[in-house]
Amino acid sequence: MTQSNIPPYDADVIIVGCGPAGMTAAVELVQAGCSVIILDMQPTPGGQIFRNLEANLRDSSPSGQTLLAALGPAYKAGAELIQRFRTSRGIDHRPQTTVWEVRPDGTVGWLQGMNAGYVRGRQVLLAHGAMERPVPFPGWTLPGVMTAGGVQTLLKAGHLKPTGNVVLIGTGPLLLLLANQLHQLGIKPALIGRTDRFADALSGVSHLRPGGLLSLIKGVRWIARLKAAGVKSVTGLKDLAAHGHRKVEAISFTVNGRQQTQACDLLIVHDGIVPSIDIPNSAGLRLQWDDANASWRPDTTFDG
């Protein structure tokens, strides 16, 4: 290809993803004098963390205020960042846009409704987040089995609340956060089953960095609050299986070598999050196996 045939740049930087990282990067880049195009699948900025925050803040109804209180101050704290993003001049925000291709020369293929095309940047910044780790188990495809992130999306964007026997199974802070949010919405989980053990938590403390102490304290408070509310909890859960005909009706599992069953109308599972590698992989970036997290991640330099 001759120099004259090379398509011009549409922006200095193209950002994929409009969550906290993408918004922060966009604001700082335009402040540094760069032109920015930011592509995101969602209709409003915020990503999964601050999903639908602007609309929820405008909802003055009792149910809307109850939801905001349940989602907590960390969710509402995103309002300042979204406001800075909205008012920063020079950001070309393109919502409801799916990125389906990223080329090494900075060309990005996009799809918005029935329209499709390409944009090209001097640099491409991937800020499209992570995904929940999928862990298959018997009955995992039954209706009524959902991930924690999926339930949070329905809460934030759809104002939908589960009913009946709600069971949460898995590990990690999101599981406990969601259990607390549901409890504050008047939904008492029938069971929280953690696949980790107390010994695992103790061994992890030795790797705790000073910055993580506040998060640890917050997690301990969640556990204490749920225990005080009488929510049944077990640790070291194994051999999870969901049972039912047209939807999940019960689950079975093993704790300390003893098999147990639990009636269940909604099974919420969460086994942590892993990097979303679909775009880096399709762009030809080298991937590296992260043994500690048992997942693939882009092989990057220290500065990303």
Side-chain angles (χ1 to χ4, degrees):
M1 181 180 289
T2 63
Q3 187 71 27
S4 60
N5 292 331
I6 297 177
Y9 292 111
D10 298 287
D12 293 318
V13 183
I14 296 173
I15 301 175
V16 181
C18 197
M23 286 190 292
T24 302
V27 170
E28 294 192 5
L29 284 167
V30 295
Q31 288 177 348
C34 298
S35 57
V36 173
I37 296 174
I38 184 164
L39 311 173
D40 189 63
M41 295 177 64
Q42 304 305 321
T44 57
Q48 175 65 10
I49 302 298
F50 303 132
R51 182 184 295 275
N52 206 41
L53 175 57
E54 292 170 303
N56 287 332
L57 287 172
R58 291 192 298 266
D59 187 353
S60 59
S61 67
S63 61
Q65 293 303 302
T66 300
L67 176 63
L68 273 178
L71 294 176
Y75 176 64
K76 291 185 287 186
E80 181 183 354
L81 174 58
I82 294 176
Q83 177 66 15
R84 286 171 52 212
F85 174 79
R86 290 284 200 191
T87 56
S88 293
R89 304 178 69 177
I91 298 177
D92 182 356
H93 176 214
R94 304 186 185 184
Q96 295 181 300
T97 302
T98 300
V99 170
W100 60 273
E101 182 183 21
V102 175
R103 298 178 184 173
D105 68 348
T107 300
V108 178
W110 58 267
L111 176 67
Q112 186 183 61
M114 298 300 294
N115 300 315
Y118 291 95
V119 289
R120 186 165 178 258
R122 298 179 186 276
Q123 303 287 336
V124 176
L125 178 60
L126 301 181
H128 59 301
M131 59 177 284
E132 287 188 271
R133 183 191 303 274
V135 178
F137 55 88
W140 74 312
T141 59
L142 280 172
V145 179
M146 296 185 65
T147 64
V151 173
Q152 273 210 328
T153 296
L154 292 179
L155 285 175
K156 295 175 179 177
H159 293 198
L160 298 176
K161 298 190 296 185
T163 59
N165 291 310
V166 179
V167 178
L168 298 95
I169 303 292
T171 187
L174 180 57
L175 197 76
L176 297 174
L177 170 63
L178 179 57
N180 272 271
Q181 291 172 340
L182 292 175
H183 180 255
Q184 292 187 63
L185 289 170
I187 305 156
K188 181 179 177 181
L191 173 70
I192 299 174
R194 290 164 49 194
T195 53
D196 58 301
R197 296 177 178 272
F198 183 67
D200 298 322
L202 287 179
S203 63
V205 169
S206 62
H207 301 283
L208 184 67
R209 297 178 181 178
L213 185 59
L214 289 178
S215 297
L216 177 63
I217 295 173
K218 186 183 297 184
V220 171
R221 288 175 178 170
W222 290 339
I223 295 173
R225 189 178 300 142
L226 291 167
K227 186 176 181 179
V231 177
K232 181 182 176 183
S233 177
V234 297
T235 59
L237 183 146
K238 298 179 179 179
D239 306 322
L240 172 65
H243 309 279
H245 297 288
R246 297 192 176 188
K247 63 177 292 295
V248 61
E249 299 169 358
I251 62 167
S252 63
F253 55 89
T254 302
V255 174
N256 295 326
R258 179 184 173 188
Q259 189 175 46
Q260 302 181 35
T261 59
Q262 168 70 49
C264 179
D265 299 300
L266 174 65
L267 173 58
I268 304 172
V269 294
H270 180 72
D271 291 279
I273 59 174
V274 294
S276 183
I277 61 168
D278 50 346
I279 294 180
N281 191 35
S282 65
L285 300 183
R286 186 169 62 184
L287 301 179
Q288 183 177 32
W289 178 252
D290 187 340
D291 195 56
N293 291 308
S295 65
W296 292 97
R297 62 177 176 83
D299 184 13
T300 64
T301 57
F302 178 76
D303 60 359

